[in-house]
Amino acid sequence: MVRAAVLPAVGAPLEVTDIDLPDPGPGQVRVRLAAAGVCHSDLSLSNGTMRVPVPAVLGHEGAGTVVAVGEGVTGVAPGAGVVLNWAPSCGSCHACSLGEVWLCANALSGAADVYAHTADGTDLHPGLNVAAFAEETVVSESCLLPLPEGIPLTDAALLGCAVLTGYGAVHHSARVREGETVAVYGVGGVGLAALQAARIAGASRIVAVDVSPEKEELARAAGATDYVIASDTTAREIRGLTGKHGVDVAVECVGRATTIRTAWDSTRRGGRTTVVGIGGKDQQVTFNALEIFHWGRTLAGCVYGNSNPAEDLPVLAEHVRAGRLDLGALVTERIALDGIPAAFDNMLAGKGGRALVVF
């Protein structure tokens, strides 16, 4: 039995309780969690914006130590440090054949599995494959990445989603070039990672946008040269900071129609907007045909930072070791499992960066 945060039903509060976690089966690995980040995607899963089978143990950003392996597992052994990969690529679907592993059609197939049980025998599903909101979890070997040398386990949890997503949005999706100007909308965990990534890319001006004045210090520490409080005049303010042209690139980490539209409006003619935030189906963004032609802008979705975790993790680790990427700067509070509901409330209120569950 291990302690876990269980989502009993969509829209219901999380319940921290004991669950019965079986030994790993063929191809599976049991991992003792060191830390797990609380991501906005977990909130989206809990409130039904994104759908997963329930009851479920959420949490998809984590790192820990292998404690047992099942039959046929050869890539890891007990005692090894690992980073959880919630979206492993199958290598055989159409997207994978194109090299677009972040769009793998089978990446979340494991989320429908029964991986554990409550104390009364109720089936439990593993959220986004990995069920990181628990002291221990059992995952497919494909959901594990080796812990990069020199990276503490607790910090490494952030690599599994926030950093891969924020860094990838800047480097893979938007392809920010040295000297370009960038605006990042939303200064949460992913937004803070995107700000650092823009600095690493050599952006000449980096504008952070958020509803909270309290996040300015966080944003500037991550690399922001300017800070704008979100309002009806945000796009105009950003154009004023950039010679009335607008930024070259906007990265939207919120997932709201108004924010996406503002991000688009704040880019220059020919600018690029990358949407990272996950919004609901009711969030409708509208453009007219003439402005699409006239502005010549590009609007692109971005899944998991358009990253290949196996290739990108070593690159990120080198940035960390060189001091260019500060993982600890993303974390604004360290909590226990029972602190996750309050972390959800803080996200809804626009407070703080990343909350990290430390075991």
Side-chain angles (χ1 to χ4, degrees), residues 127-262:
L128 292 181
N129 283 326
V130 296
F133 287 166
E135 294 170 331
E136 296 186 8
T137 188
V138 172
V139 300
S140 167
E141 183 182 6
S142 64
C143 289
L144 300 179
L145 298 164
L147 176 71
E149 184 178 349
I151 309 298
L153 261 179
T154 301
D155 289 347
L158 300 162
L159 295 171
C161 184
V163 179
L164 275 170
T165 301
Y167 180 91
V170 168
H171 287 265
H172 300 320
S173 180
R175 299 182 182 273
V176 174
R177 299 182 290 268
E178 185 174 0
E180 289 192 312
T181 53
V182 178
V184 175
Y185 286 77
V187 184
V190 173
L192 288 168
L195 289 168
Q196 291 200 44
R199 174 174 44 76
I200 291 170
S204 61
R205 189 160 213 151
I206 305 171
V207 184
V209 182
D210 199 276
V211 296
S212 172
E214 288 75 24
K215 291 187 180 182
E216 180 171 0
E217 185 177 348
L218 275 175
R220 290 189 181 275
T225 58
D226 302 272
Y227 193 79
V228 172
I229 305 300
S231 71
D232 293 342
T233 63
T234 295
R236 189 185 313 156
E237 289 181 61
I238 290 176
R239 288 196 296 271
L241 292 170
T242 53
K244 298 185 179 179
H245 300 295
V247 290
D248 297 299
V249 170
V251 180
E252 199 274 358
C253 304
V254 180
R256 293 198 186 104
T258 54
T259 315
I260 294 169
R261 178 69 220 207
T262 301

Side-chain angles (χ1 to χ4, degrees), residues 68-88:
V69 300
E71 181 183 351
V73 173
T74 58
V76 293
V82 291
V83 177
L84 300 180
N85 176 16
W86 61 272

Side-chain angles (χ1 to χ4, degrees), residues 3-68:
R3 299 288 284 173
V6 175
L7 177 69
V10 173
L14 293 181
E15 299 175 357
V16 177
T17 185
D18 289 329
I19 67 169
D20 183 10
L21 189 67
D23 293 331
Q28 293 184 324
V29 179
R30 185 167 178 141
V31 177
R32 179 179 298 118
L33 272 296
V38 182
C39 179
H40 204 282
S41 296
D42 297 309
L43 176 61
S44 296
L45 291 166
S46 72
N47 64 25
T49 300
M50 299 167 60
R51 289 287 184 176
V52 290
V54 289
V57 175
L58 303 182
H60 61 280
E61 179 184 272
T65 303
V66 174
V67 294

